[in-house]
Protein backbone atom coordinates (compact mmCIF):
# COMPACT_ATOMS: atom_id res chain seq x y z
CA UNK A 1 0.00 0.00 0.00
CA UNK A 2 1.47 3.41 -0.88
CA UNK A 3 2.73 5.41 2.10
CA UNK A 4 0.38 8.26 1.17
CA UNK A 5 -2.51 5.92 1.99
CA UNK A 6 -1.34 4.91 5.44
CA UNK A 7 0.98 2.20 4.19
CA UNK A 8 4.25 0.97 5.64
CA UNK A 9 7.93 1.47 4.90
CA UNK A 10 10.35 -0.59 7.01
CA UNK A 11 14.02 0.26 7.47
CA UNK A 12 16.53 -1.98 9.24
CA UNK A 13 19.38 -0.59 11.34
CA UNK A 14 22.08 -3.20 10.82
CA UNK A 15 25.15 -1.78 12.50
CA UNK A 16 24.83 1.41 10.49
CA UNK A 17 27.75 3.80 10.89
CA UNK A 18 27.60 7.41 9.73
CA UNK A 19 30.60 7.47 7.41
CA UNK A 20 30.32 11.22 6.88
CA UNK A 21 31.07 12.01 10.52
CA UNK A 22 34.41 13.75 10.24
CA UNK A 23 34.85 15.28 13.70
CA UNK A 24 37.00 13.81 16.46
CA UNK A 25 34.06 12.45 18.43
CA UNK A 26 30.74 11.18 17.02
CA UNK A 27 28.61 13.54 19.14
CA UNK A 28 30.55 16.62 18.01
CA UNK A 29 28.52 16.89 14.79
CA UNK A 30 25.27 17.01 16.76
CA UNK A 31 26.67 19.48 19.27
CA UNK A 32 27.58 21.76 16.38
CA UNK A 33 24.09 21.50 14.90
CA UNK A 34 22.49 22.22 18.27
CA UNK A 35 24.64 25.33 18.63
CA UNK A 36 23.55 26.66 15.22
CA UNK A 37 19.81 26.07 14.95
CA UNK A 38 17.82 27.97 12.30
CA UNK A 39 15.42 30.58 13.65
CA UNK A 40 11.73 30.94 12.90
CA UNK A 41 10.50 33.07 10.01
CA UNK A 42 8.90 35.80 12.08
CA UNK A 43 7.82 37.71 8.96
CA UNK A 44 5.72 34.77 7.74
CA UNK A 45 4.28 34.29 11.22
CA UNK A 46 3.29 37.96 11.47
CA UNK A 47 1.70 37.85 8.02
CA UNK A 48 -0.61 35.01 9.07
CA UNK A 49 -1.61 36.76 12.27
CA UNK A 50 -2.31 39.93 10.30
CA UNK A 51 -4.51 38.02 7.86
CA UNK A 52 -6.54 36.57 10.73
CA UNK A 53 -6.86 40.03 12.26
CA UNK A 54 -8.23 41.40 8.97
CA UNK A 55 -10.72 38.56 8.49
CA UNK A 56 -14.42 39.17 9.05
CA UNK A 57 -14.63 37.54 12.49
CA UNK A 58 -14.20 38.48 16.15
CA UNK A 59 -10.58 39.04 17.20
CA UNK A 60 -8.78 35.81 18.15
CA UNK A 61 -12.08 33.93 17.89
CA UNK A 62 -10.44 30.83 16.40
CA UNK A 63 -8.20 30.40 19.43
CA UNK A 64 -5.40 27.90 19.00
CA UNK A 65 -6.27 27.35 15.35
CA UNK A 66 -4.79 30.78 14.70
CA UNK A 67 -1.73 29.94 16.78
CA UNK A 68 -1.20 26.66 14.94
CA UNK A 69 -1.41 28.35 11.55
CA UNK A 70 1.05 31.04 12.66
CA UNK A 71 3.41 28.36 14.00
CA UNK A 72 3.24 26.50 10.69
CA UNK A 73 4.09 29.70 8.83
CA UNK A 74 6.98 30.46 11.17
CA UNK A 75 8.61 27.08 10.68
CA UNK A 76 7.84 26.51 7.01
CA UNK A 77 8.34 30.07 5.79
CA UNK A 78 5.01 29.91 3.93
CA UNK A 79 2.27 32.44 4.59
CA UNK A 80 -0.43 31.34 4.48
CA UNK A 81 0.93 27.88 5.34
CA UNK A 82 0.07 24.61 3.60
CA UNK A 83 0.44 20.94 4.54
CA UNK A 84 0.62 18.80 1.41
CA UNK A 85 3.12 16.05 2.32
CA UNK A 86 2.62 15.11 5.97
CA UNK A 87 4.53 12.10 7.26
CA UNK A 88 4.06 9.86 10.29
CA UNK A 89 7.35 8.26 11.37
CA UNK A 90 7.32 5.57 14.06
CA UNK A 91 10.58 4.28 15.55
CA UNK A 92 10.66 0.85 17.22
CA UNK A 93 13.38 -0.36 19.59
CA UNK A 94 13.95 -3.02 22.24
CA UNK A 95 15.67 -2.71 25.62
CA UNK A 96 17.81 -5.08 27.67
CA UNK A 97 16.43 -3.63 30.88
CA UNK A 98 13.15 -5.48 30.29
CA UNK A 99 14.76 -8.55 31.88
CA UNK A 100 13.85 -6.98 35.24
CA UNK A 101 10.13 -7.53 34.65
CA UNK A 102 9.19 -3.89 34.09
CA UNK A 103 6.47 -4.45 31.50
CA UNK A 104 3.36 -6.63 31.36
CA UNK A 105 4.13 -7.30 27.69
CA UNK A 106 6.81 -9.67 26.34
CA UNK A 107 9.68 -8.20 24.33
CA UNK A 108 8.32 -9.93 21.23
CA UNK A 109 5.35 -7.55 21.33
CA UNK A 110 7.47 -4.81 19.75
CA UNK A 111 8.16 -6.84 16.62
CA UNK A 112 4.55 -8.03 16.57
CA UNK A 113 3.37 -4.41 16.56
CA UNK A 114 5.72 -3.58 13.69
CA UNK A 115 4.40 -6.54 11.72
CA UNK A 116 0.82 -5.46 12.37
CA UNK A 117 1.69 -2.07 10.88
CA UNK A 118 3.22 -3.86 7.89
CA UNK A 119 -0.03 -5.75 7.42
CA UNK A 120 -2.04 -2.53 7.59
CA UNK A 121 -3.98 -3.64 10.65
CA UNK A 122 -2.67 -1.29 13.34
CA UNK A 123 -4.52 1.74 14.66
CA UNK A 124 -1.89 4.03 13.17
CA UNK A 125 -2.57 2.68 9.67
CA UNK A 126 -6.23 3.64 9.92
CA UNK A 127 -5.57 7.11 11.34
CA UNK A 128 -3.01 7.81 8.62
CA UNK A 129 -5.55 6.79 5.98
CA UNK A 130 -8.20 9.02 7.56
CA UNK A 131 -5.90 12.06 7.57
CA UNK A 132 -4.01 11.25 4.34
CA UNK A 133 -0.63 10.87 6.01
CA UNK A 134 2.38 9.01 4.74
CA UNK A 135 3.62 6.32 7.15
CA UNK A 136 7.09 4.94 7.80
CA UNK A 137 7.84 2.46 10.56
CA UNK A 138 11.52 2.01 11.43
CA UNK A 139 12.64 -1.33 12.89
CA UNK A 140 15.78 -0.40 14.86
CA UNK A 141 17.50 -3.79 15.17
CA UNK A 142 14.76 -5.28 17.33
CA UNK A 143 16.64 -8.58 17.46
CA UNK A 144 19.50 -6.84 19.33
CA UNK A 145 18.13 -5.10 22.43
CA UNK A 146 20.20 -2.33 23.96
CA UNK A 147 22.28 -3.17 27.03
CA UNK A 148 20.68 -3.27 30.48
CA UNK A 149 20.96 0.32 31.72
CA UNK A 150 21.25 -0.78 35.37
CA UNK A 151 24.69 -2.24 34.68
CA UNK A 152 25.93 -0.91 31.33
CA UNK A 153 25.54 1.87 28.79
CA UNK A 154 22.53 1.37 26.54
CA UNK A 155 24.68 2.36 23.55
CA UNK A 156 28.24 3.45 22.94
CA UNK A 157 28.78 6.95 21.58
CA UNK A 158 29.43 5.82 18.04
CA UNK A 159 26.34 3.61 17.96
CA UNK A 160 24.13 6.31 19.49
CA UNK A 161 25.39 8.94 17.03
CA UNK A 162 24.86 6.55 14.12
CA UNK A 163 21.31 5.90 15.28
CA UNK A 164 20.65 9.63 15.54
CA UNK A 165 21.97 10.00 12.00
CA UNK A 166 19.70 7.18 10.90
CA UNK A 167 16.74 8.97 12.48
CA UNK A 168 17.61 12.06 10.47
CA UNK A 169 16.83 10.05 7.34
CA UNK A 170 13.15 10.04 8.30
CA UNK A 171 12.69 13.22 6.28
CA UNK A 172 14.37 11.78 3.18
CA UNK A 173 11.98 12.02 0.27
CA UNK A 174 10.48 15.23 1.59
CA UNK A 175 7.75 16.23 4.00
CA UNK A 176 6.23 19.48 5.23
CA UNK A 177 4.91 18.14 8.55
CA UNK A 178 6.74 15.43 10.50
CA UNK A 179 4.76 13.44 13.07
CA UNK A 180 6.82 11.31 15.46
CA UNK A 181 5.90 8.28 17.53
CA UNK A 182 7.48 5.20 19.08
CA UNK A 183 7.11 1.50 19.76
CA UNK A 184 9.12 -0.39 22.35
CA UNK A 185 8.34 -2.74 25.22
CA UNK A 186 9.80 -1.22 28.38
CA UNK A 187 10.47 2.18 26.91
CA UNK A 188 8.30 4.04 29.41
CA UNK A 189 10.82 2.97 32.07
CA UNK A 190 13.69 4.12 29.86
CA UNK A 191 11.87 7.42 29.29
CA UNK A 192 11.48 7.80 33.07
CA UNK A 193 15.23 7.25 33.49
CA UNK A 194 15.95 9.91 30.88
CA UNK A 195 13.60 12.42 32.50
CA UNK A 196 15.16 11.76 35.90
CA UNK A 197 18.64 12.22 34.44
CA UNK A 198 17.67 15.48 32.72
CA UNK A 199 15.28 17.03 35.26
CA UNK A 200 16.31 15.39 38.53
CA UNK A 201 14.28 13.34 40.96
CA UNK A 202 13.96 9.63 41.68
CA UNK A 203 12.42 6.80 39.75
CA UNK A 204 9.15 7.09 41.67
CA UNK A 205 8.80 10.67 40.42
CA UNK A 206 8.79 9.63 36.77
CA UNK A 207 7.47 6.08 36.35
CA UNK A 208 3.82 5.29 35.69
CA UNK A 209 1.56 2.52 34.44
CA UNK A 210 2.98 2.57 30.91
CA UNK A 211 1.27 -0.24 29.04
CA UNK A 212 -0.63 -1.45 32.09
CA UNK A 213 1.82 -1.97 34.96
CA UNK A 214 0.22 -2.49 38.36
CA UNK A 215 1.46 -1.05 41.64
CA UNK A 216 4.07 -3.77 42.23
CA UNK A 217 5.45 -3.47 38.73
CA UNK A 218 5.55 0.31 38.97
CA UNK A 219 7.59 -0.03 42.16
CA UNK A 220 9.96 -2.33 40.29
CA UNK A 221 10.20 0.22 37.47
CA UNK A 222 11.14 2.91 39.99
CA UNK A 223 13.82 0.67 41.48
CA UNK A 224 15.25 0.02 38.01
CA UNK A 225 15.41 3.75 37.27
CA UNK A 226 17.14 4.42 40.60
CA UNK A 227 19.63 1.64 39.91
CA UNK A 228 20.39 3.08 36.48
CA UNK A 229 20.89 6.57 37.91
CA UNK A 230 23.21 5.22 40.59
CA UNK A 231 25.24 3.15 38.12
CA UNK A 232 25.82 6.01 35.67
CA UNK A 233 26.36 8.55 38.44
CA UNK A 234 28.02 11.79 37.41
CA UNK A 235 28.06 10.95 33.70
CA UNK A 236 24.45 12.07 33.14
CA UNK A 237 25.03 15.82 33.27
CA UNK A 238 25.62 15.98 29.54
CA UNK A 239 22.31 15.45 27.65
CA UNK A 240 23.79 13.39 24.82
CA UNK A 241 25.67 11.24 27.31
CA UNK A 242 22.40 10.69 29.17
CA UNK A 243 20.77 9.68 25.88
CA UNK A 244 23.35 7.02 25.10
CA UNK A 245 23.73 5.73 28.64
CA UNK A 246 20.11 5.41 29.80
CA UNK A 247 18.21 5.87 26.52
CA UNK A 248 17.74 3.54 23.58
CA UNK A 249 17.67 3.35 19.82
CA UNK A 250 14.19 4.77 19.29
CA UNK A 251 15.05 7.68 21.58
CA UNK A 252 18.24 8.43 19.65
CA UNK A 253 16.49 8.12 16.29
CA UNK A 254 13.64 10.42 17.35
CA UNK A 255 16.14 13.00 18.61
CA UNK A 256 17.89 12.83 15.24
CA UNK A 257 14.62 13.20 13.35
CA UNK A 258 13.64 16.27 15.40
CA UNK A 259 17.04 17.84 14.76
CA UNK A 260 16.95 17.09 11.02
CA UNK A 261 13.49 18.63 10.76
CA UNK A 262 14.73 21.78 12.47
CA UNK A 263 17.66 22.12 10.09
CA UNK A 264 15.27 21.78 7.13
CA UNK A 265 12.60 24.08 8.64
CA UNK A 266 9.96 21.32 8.92
CA UNK A 267 7.33 21.63 11.68
CA UNK A 268 7.11 18.62 14.02
CA UNK A 269 4.32 16.98 16.03
CA UNK A 270 5.53 14.93 19.00
CA UNK A 271 3.53 12.12 20.56
CA UNK A 272 3.99 9.89 23.55
CA UNK A 273 6.05 9.66 26.72
CA UNK A 274 9.13 8.23 24.99
CA UNK A 275 9.15 10.73 22.12
CA UNK A 276 8.85 13.57 24.62
CA UNK A 277 11.83 12.19 26.56
CA UNK A 278 13.86 12.09 23.35
CA UNK A 279 12.86 15.69 22.67
CA UNK A 280 13.87 16.64 26.23
CA UNK A 281 17.44 15.62 25.45
CA UNK A 282 17.64 18.27 22.72
CA UNK A 283 15.93 20.85 24.92
CA UNK A 284 18.50 20.24 27.65
CA UNK A 285 21.27 20.84 25.11
CA UNK A 286 19.63 23.99 23.70
CA UNK A 287 16.41 25.43 25.22
CA UNK A 288 15.27 26.63 21.76
CA UNK A 289 15.65 23.19 20.14
CA UNK A 290 11.93 22.39 20.32
CA UNK A 291 10.53 25.70 19.10
CA UNK A 292 9.50 24.02 15.83
CA UNK A 293 7.61 21.29 17.74
CA UNK A 294 4.11 20.97 19.11
CA UNK A 295 2.97 18.24 21.49
CA UNK A 296 0.10 16.27 19.98
CA UNK A 297 -1.29 14.67 23.14
CA UNK A 298 -0.49 13.49 26.64
CA UNK A 299 -0.22 9.84 27.62
CA UNK A 300 -1.99 8.62 30.79
CA UNK A 301 1.38 8.53 32.61
CA UNK A 302 1.13 11.39 35.15
CA UNK A 303 4.79 12.27 34.64
CA UNK A 304 4.13 13.11 31.00
CA UNK A 305 2.16 16.21 31.96
CA UNK A 306 4.94 17.33 34.31
CA UNK A 307 7.57 16.81 31.65
CA UNK A 308 5.51 18.69 29.06
CA UNK A 309 5.18 21.62 31.45
CA UNK A 310 8.94 21.66 32.04
CA UNK A 311 9.47 21.74 28.29
CA UNK A 312 6.86 24.43 27.69
CA UNK A 313 4.75 22.10 25.54
CA UNK A 314 0.96 22.37 25.66
CA UNK A 315 -0.86 19.38 24.14
CA UNK A 316 -3.24 19.87 21.24
CA UNK A 317 -5.44 16.91 22.23
CA UNK A 318 -6.46 15.27 25.48
CA UNK A 319 -7.94 11.92 24.51
CA UNK A 320 -6.27 9.68 27.08
CA UNK A 321 -4.31 7.87 24.36
CA UNK A 322 -1.55 5.65 25.71
CA UNK A 323 -1.53 3.23 22.80
CA UNK A 324 1.77 4.29 21.25
CA UNK A 325 2.50 4.09 17.53
CA UNK A 326 2.13 7.88 17.29
CA UNK A 327 -1.67 7.66 17.19
CA UNK A 328 -2.02 11.02 18.94
CA UNK A 329 0.31 12.76 16.49
CA UNK A 330 -1.52 11.31 13.49
CA UNK A 331 -4.83 12.53 14.91
CA UNK A 332 -3.41 15.97 15.68
CA UNK A 333 -2.08 16.19 12.12
CA UNK A 334 -5.68 16.46 10.95
CA UNK A 335 -6.12 19.48 13.21
CA UNK A 336 -2.91 21.06 11.88
CA UNK A 337 -4.01 20.50 8.30
CA UNK A 338 -7.35 22.12 9.10
CA UNK A 339 -5.56 25.13 10.60
CA UNK A 340 -3.50 25.54 7.43
CA UNK A 341 -6.60 25.37 5.21
CA UNK A 342 -8.45 27.77 7.48
CA UNK A 343 -5.60 30.26 7.17
CA UNK A 344 -5.29 29.98 3.39
CA UNK A 345 -9.03 30.08 2.78
CA UNK A 346 -9.60 33.10 4.95
CA UNK A 347 -6.56 34.81 3.45
CA UNK A 348 -8.07 34.38 -0.02
CA UNK A 349 -11.32 35.94 1.20
CA UNK A 350 -9.45 38.90 2.73
CA UNK A 351 -7.51 39.50 -0.47
CA UNK A 352 -10.70 39.21 -2.52
Amino acid sequence: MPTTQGGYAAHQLQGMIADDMTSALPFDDFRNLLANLPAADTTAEARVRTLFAKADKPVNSLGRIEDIAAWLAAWSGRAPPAVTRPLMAVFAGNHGVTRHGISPRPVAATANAVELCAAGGAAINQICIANDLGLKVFDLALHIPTADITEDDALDERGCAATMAFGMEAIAGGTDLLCLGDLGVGNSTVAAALFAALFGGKGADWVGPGSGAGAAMQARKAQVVDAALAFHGGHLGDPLEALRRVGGREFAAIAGAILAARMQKIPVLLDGFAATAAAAVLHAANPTALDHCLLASLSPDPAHARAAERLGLRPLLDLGIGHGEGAGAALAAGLVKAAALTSSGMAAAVRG
Side-chain angles (χ1 to χ4, degrees):
M1 182 181 293
T3 57
T4 54
Q5 297 178 15
Y8 170 85
H11 297 254
Q12 297 286 336
L13 177 64
Q14 301 287 357
M16 173 187 171
I17 298 297
D19 295 327
D20 59 345
M21 290 183 179
T22 57
S23 60
L25 296 172
F27 280 154
D28 287 352
D29 297 284
F30 299 102
R31 298 189 202 282
N32 290 336
L33 291 178
L34 285 163
N36 297 280
L37 297 173
D41 187 332
T42 54
T43 300
E45 178 182 8
R47 189 176 301 129
V48 167
R49 293 196 182 278
T50 298
L51 287 168
F52 275 123
K54 291 180 178 179
D56 185 13
K57 67 174 185 63
V59 176
N60 298 324
S61 61
L62 288 172
R64 291 193 74 186
I65 292 295
E66 298 183 31
D67 295 335
I68 294 168
W71 166 80
L72 273 174
W75 290 108
S76 66
R78 302 166 70 180
V83 178
T84 61
R85 300 185 67 188
L87 174 67
M88 181 73 237
V90 182
F91 294 93
N94 274 328
H95 304 270
V97 74
T98 56
R99 72 185 184 88
H100 295 286
I102 56 171
S103 175
R105 298 184 301 156
V107 173
T110 306
N112 292 341
V114 170
E115 290 304 315
L116 186 60
C117 290
I124 192 63
N125 297 89
Q126 321 320 319
I127 300 171
C128 285
I129 292 170
N131 286 328
D132 196 22
L133 308 179
L135 173 61
K136 296 180 181 178
V137 180
F138 296 83
D139 172 345
L140 302 175
L142 293 180
H143 61 294
I144 309 175
T146 54
D148 180 354
I149 61 173
T150 66
E151 59 185 31
D152 201 353
D153 301 340
L155 297 164
D156 61 23
E157 181 172 343
R158 189 171 177 82
C160 186
T163 308
M164 291 178 71
F166 182 80
M168 298 180 86
E169 293 298 316
I171 62 172
T175 180
D176 52 18
L177 177 66
L178 180 63
C179 307
L180 294 172
D182 65 89
L183 283 169
V185 172
N187 72 7
S188 67
T189 301
V190 173
L194 261 180
F195 281 129
L198 297 170
F199 294 150
K202 299 180 179 180
D205 299 321
W206 294 104
V207 300
S211 58
M217 185 171 286
Q218 288 184 53
R220 195 153 56 244
K221 291 171 68 171
Q223 292 170 358
V224 163
V225 170
D226 290 339
L229 296 175
F231 178 82
H232 296 282
H235 298 288
L236 300 177
D238 179 275
L240 293 181
E241 276 293 299
L243 175 64
R244 81 166 186 86
R245 288 174 178 269
V246 300
R249 293 191 183 94
E250 71 269 44
F251 295 84
I254 289 171
I258 295 170
L259 187 54
R262 178 59 168 268
M263 303 312 294
Q264 295 297 316
K265 301 294 287 286
I266 299 168
V268 171
L269 287 178
L270 300 170
D271 186 53
F273 195 48
T276 305
V281 172
L282 302 180
H283 183 272
N286 183 335
T288 71
L290 304 183
D291 288 357
H292 65 305
C293 301
L294 292 181
L295 180 61
S297 65
L298 289 175
S299 73
D301 276 275
H304 196 188
R306 296 198 300 275
E309 184 176 2
R310 291 285 295 267
L311 296 171
L313 296 171
R314 180 184 170 197
L316 295 176
L317 304 173
D318 184 10
L319 301 175
I321 296 175
H323 183 59
E325 299 178 358
L331 286 166
L335 181 60
V336 173
K337 292 173 70 176
L341 286 170
T342 301
S343 174
S344 59
M346 297 186 79
V350 168
R351 289 167 182 166

